Amino acid sequence: MLPLEKQIKINSIICESCHGSEFYSKEMIEVLYERLDILYKSFEASEYVNTNPIKLVNDYIKSTVNIRHSYFEKFMGEIDFFPKYEGIYRTGYAALALKEAMCAGYAEAVRMLLAMYDIKTHTLLAKLPGANKQLLHYVVVAEDKDGTYKILDPERQANCEKKGYDFNKYMDSMIYIIPDEQFSNNKLGENGVGERAEDFLKRPTTISQKGIEGAIQLVKIIKKGNENNVSENKGRKI
């Protein structure tokens, strides 16, 4: 059974507004806990026990999860109807139990597995390179134990490796965005796939930076905001 302290960490990721508990059922949560417990124990008992957990988790997700294309197909107008059940593929459950997910599910799965190692992570949105790439994409920034930051995107990394692209150069050409309340409240939009990246970037309240270093700066902004919220709420009764 997954220890209670790990369950709390997993729940906190699910409940972040850019992800969402609304995509989960009680049964899915139970299967997710079981899957995380099994995976973590298998990692610790394997030949990779001394591998950096960030590399281990990224490589595991990259090699075992397939991208769910329906989200892209609806966004591009290739299909007319986007059924509500497709929301399941936004989850870490889908990535870890069904082996198929959208980018949001990839990000959740990476963060959940790294939470098992007590590694702090953050979700950022990103606009993919190219004027025609208008889907808002999810990536993860992990804080390694040595204080360095690593951007993780196993889905895009697998795609770059398949096509022979330089993954680091590809990631450095992205525009990264802090997921704000307006995005989180309307992440599915009216058609199930949400807002266009170009429209989101044009909003005056959007906070974005280009490149890997820009993504790291955004995470530092998020952390500073979290620290301020803790300070402001210290001593308040709930």
Side-chain angles (χ1 to χ4, degrees), residues 137-200:
H137 186 66
Y138 280 59
V139 302
V140 173
V141 180
E143 299 182 42
D144 209 341
K145 297 296 178 69
D146 62 3
T148 59
Y149 293 89
K150 292 181 172 62
I151 301 180
L152 306 177
D153 188 350
E155 186 272 316
R156 289 286 87 192
Q157 186 176 355
N159 189 61
C160 283
E161 291 172 357
K162 179 181 178 180
K163 295 182 177 179
Y165 296 162
D166 184 320
F167 176 64
N168 287 329
K169 185 176 180 180
Y170 183 86
M171 296 298 287
D172 203 42
S173 64
M174 285 191 189
I175 299 172
Y176 297 92
I177 311 162
I178 294 177
D180 60 15
E181 184 177 1
Q182 187 171 343
F183 166 80
S184 298
N185 289 341
N186 194 37
K187 51 184 172 277
L188 296 183
E190 295 181 359
N191 58 4
V193 296
E195 191 173 7
R196 289 168 56 88
E198 187 177 75
D199 296 334
F200 189 43

Side-chain angles (χ1 to χ4, degrees), residues 4 7 12 14 22 27 33 46 61 82 93 103 114 118-119 140 146 158 164-165 169 177-178 187 196 207 209 229:
L4 179 60
Q7 293 184 28
S12 70
I14 291 172
E22 66 268 28
E27 292 73 21
Y33 287 165
S46 74
I61 297 297
F82 193 76
Y93 161 86
C103 58
L114 289 178
D118 298 319
I119 292 174
V140 173
D146 62 3
Y165 296 162
K169 185 176 180 180
I177 311 162
I178 294 177
K187 51 184 172 277
R196 289 168 56 88
I207 301 174
Q209 293 276 358
N229 288 337

Side-chain angles (χ1 to χ4, degrees), residues 111-128:
R111 293 189 63 190
M112 289 169 176
L113 282 171
L114 289 178
M116 301 294 290
Y117 291 93
D118 298 319
I119 292 174
K120 295 179 181 179
T121 57
H122 310 270
T123 296
L124 291 179
L125 303 175
K127 182 195 176 300
L128 300 174

Side-chain angles (χ1 to χ4, degrees), residues 16-232:
E16 286 185 20
S17 55
C18 64
H19 290 287
S21 59
E22 66 268 28
F23 302 112
Y24 281 88
S25 66
K26 181 180 178 182
E27 292 73 21
M28 288 167 62
I29 293 286
E30 291 173 353
V31 172
L32 177 65
Y33 287 165
E34 181 181 12
R35 187 66 186 147
L36 286 165
D37 191 45
I38 291 171
L39 282 172
Y40 178 69
K41 289 175 179 175
S42 69
F43 290 162
E44 289 295 280
S46 74
E47 61 192 275
Y48 303 108
V49 64
N50 294 319
T51 302
N52 182 302
I54 294 177
K55 174 175 171 49
L56 177 63
V57 167
N58 184 78
D59 288 352
Y60 174 78
I61 297 297
K62 183 180 68 170
S63 63
T64 62
V65 183
N66 295 308
I67 187 68
R68 181 75 172 180
H69 289 288
S70 54
Y71 180 63
F72 174 79
E73 290 168 350
K74 172 57 181 171
F75 194 88
M76 297 301 293
E78 295 175 11
I79 58 175
D80 296 325
F81 179 65
F82 193 76
K84 187 175 181 180
Y85 70 78
E86 286 286 339
I88 194 175
Y89 294 100
R90 296 180 62 92
T91 67
Y93 161 86
L96 297 174
L98 305 180
K99 305 297 185 185
E100 188 176 17
M102 303 173 194
C103 58
Y106 274 80
E108 263 197 15
V110 167
R111 293 189 63 190
M112 289 169 176
L113 282 171
L114 289 178
M116 301 294 290
Y117 291 93
D118 298 319
I119 292 174
K120 295 179 181 179
T121 57
H122 310 270
T123 296
L124 291 179
L125 303 175
K127 182 195 176 300
L128 300 174
N132 64 324
K133 304 291 187 182
Q134 291 298 325
L135 283 170
L136 281 168
H137 186 66
Y138 280 59
V139 302
V140 173
V141 180
E143 299 182 42
D144 209 341
K145 297 296 178 69
D146 62 3
T148 59
Y149 293 89
K150 292 181 172 62
I151 301 180
L152 306 177
D153 188 350
E155 186 272 316
R156 289 286 87 192
Q157 186 176 355
N159 189 61
C160 283
E161 291 172 357
K162 179 181 178 180
K163 295 182 177 179
Y165 296 162
D166 184 320
F167 176 64
N168 287 329
K169 185 176 180 180
Y170 183 86
M171 296 298 287
D172 203 42
S173 64
M174 285 191 189
I175 299 172
Y176 297 92
I177 311 162
I178 294 177
D180 60 15
E181 184 177 1
Q182 187 171 343
F183 166 80
S184 298
N185 289 341
N186 194 37
K187 51 184 172 277
L188 296 183
E190 295 181 359
N191 58 4
V193 296
E195 191 173 7
R196 289 168 56 88
E198 187 177 75
D199 296 334
F200 189 43
L201 285 167
K202 286 179 179 177
R203 294 208 320 253
T205 55
T206 296
I207 301 174
S208 64
Q209 293 276 358
K210 186 173 181 179
I212 293 171
E213 286 303 316
I216 293 170
Q217 292 305 312
L218 292 181
V219 167
K220 291 179 179 179
I221 291 172
I222 293 171
K223 291 180 65 179
K224 185 67 174 177
N226 291 341
E227 290 169 3
N228 290 340
N229 288 337
V230 170
S231 178
E232 290 171 5

